[in-house]
Amino acid sequence: MKSFTAAIIVIGDEILSGRTQDSNSHFIANNLIKEGIKLEEIVVIKDNKDTIIEKVLSYSNKYSYVFTTGGIGPTHDDITSESISEAFNLECTINQDAFKILDNYYPKGEFNESRQRMSKMPFGSELILNPMTAAPGFTIKNVYVLPGVPEIMQVMFEELIKKINKG
């Protein structure tokens, strides 16, 4: 039986400042263990492009799976998508499927420029569908990029874990 390893990167200044408690890594860890995937590392990092790039590249080379949470929303400090694009030397572009999902989700006139940012991701990404609020995450190589809001992340992770190889 093949052995699979994983790491979790929790991204967000709000976690490091203590304003928000991280429950995502606990949830992911419990589910990985149930599925026979050995969690090797968890790290909490700030919203900083260089830090995100360094950790994503390092962990992507070291582990079977890398799960990130945080930094893919509509606000100015949500830089995870751009950072991961740069890490893999890929263009950060509007994913047309994600754009259509979001355009259909928001009422006419409410799919503004900041919300459209949520459809930007590394070229060639596969979507991780979001049955709760429509805004998808994405997969590129062995990196699975999920939102930071626990309720949304959990629903998306439960669907994602069904589709990946397990130990």
Side-chain angles (χ1 to χ4, degrees), residues 22-34:
D22 168 45
S23 59
N24 289 339
S25 58
H26 176 75
F27 178 86
I28 294 171
N30 282 336
N31 281 280
L32 291 175
I33 290 165
K34 287 178 196 171

Side-chain angles (χ1 to χ4, degrees), residues 13 16 34 41 52 55 68 76 86 101 112 126-127 133 140 144 148 165:
D13 294 341
L16 291 170
K34 287 178 196 171
E41 284 189 64
I52 296 168
K55 285 297 178 193
T68 75
H76 73 282
E86 192 170 319
I101 290 168
N112 59 32
E126 293 181 32
L127 297 184
T133 64
I140 192 72
Y144 298 83
N165 293 323

Side-chain angles (χ1 to χ4, degrees), residues 87-129:
F88 293 119
N89 295 313
L90 297 168
E91 181 182 355
C92 188
T93 185
I94 295 218
N95 179 297
Q96 291 303 315
D97 292 332
F99 190 91
K100 286 176 195 165
I101 290 168
L102 291 164
D103 191 33
N104 290 331
Y105 176 77
Y106 286 104
K108 188 153 181 71
E110 290 187 24
F111 187 40
N112 59 32
E113 190 175 328
S114 65
R115 288 178 170 156
Q116 290 174 22
R117 289 185 66 218
M118 294 187 293
S119 67
K120 288 188 79 174
M121 52 194 65
F123 180 78
S125 295
E126 293 181 32
L127 297 184
I128 301 172
L129 297 180

Side-chain angles (χ1 to χ4, degrees), residues 2-157:
K2 186 168 179 320
S3 175
F4 295 97
T5 58
I8 301 169
I9 304 172
V10 179
I11 303 166
D13 294 341
E14 65 279 3
I15 304 290
L16 291 170
S17 72
R19 288 184 315 231
T20 303
Q21 184 176 4
D22 168 45
S23 59
N24 289 339
S25 58
H26 176 75
F27 178 86
I28 294 171
N30 282 336
N31 281 280
L32 291 175
I33 290 165
K34 287 178 196 171
E35 298 294 342
I37 299 169
K38 185 177 179 193
L39 179 61
E40 302 264 326
E41 284 189 64
I42 300 173
V43 64
V44 180
I45 61 173
K46 59 186 174 176
D47 293 304
N48 175 277
K49 185 193 290 189
D50 292 335
T51 306
I52 296 168
I53 290 169
E54 187 269 317
K55 285 297 178 193
V56 165
L57 285 175
S58 170
Y59 285 5
S60 178
N61 288 324
K62 198 172 178 182
Y63 301 113
S64 310
Y65 303 114
V66 179
F67 300 94
T68 75
T69 67
I72 61 170
T75 61
H76 73 282
D77 63 338
D78 290 319
I79 60 168
T80 300
S81 296
E82 296 90 359
S83 301
I84 292 175
S85 296
E86 192 170 319
F88 293 119
N89 295 313
L90 297 168
E91 181 182 355
C92 188
T93 185
I94 295 218
N95 179 297
Q96 291 303 315
D97 292 332
F99 190 91
K100 286 176 195 165
I101 290 168
L102 291 164
D103 191 33
N104 290 331
Y105 176 77
Y106 286 104
K108 188 153 181 71
E110 290 187 24
F111 187 40
N112 59 32
E113 190 175 328
S114 65
R115 288 178 170 156
Q116 290 174 22
R117 289 185 66 218
M118 294 187 293
S119 67
K120 288 188 79 174
M121 52 194 65
F123 180 78
S125 295
E126 293 181 32
L127 297 184
I128 301 172
L129 297 180
N130 175 350
M132 188 176 280
T133 64
F138 64 88
T139 303
I140 192 72
K141 301 187 184 277
N142 63 337
V143 179
Y144 298 83
V145 181
L146 298 160
V149 178
E151 296 79 13
I152 301 169
M153 188 283 304
Q154 290 172 12
V155 170
M156 292 171 69
F157 186 85

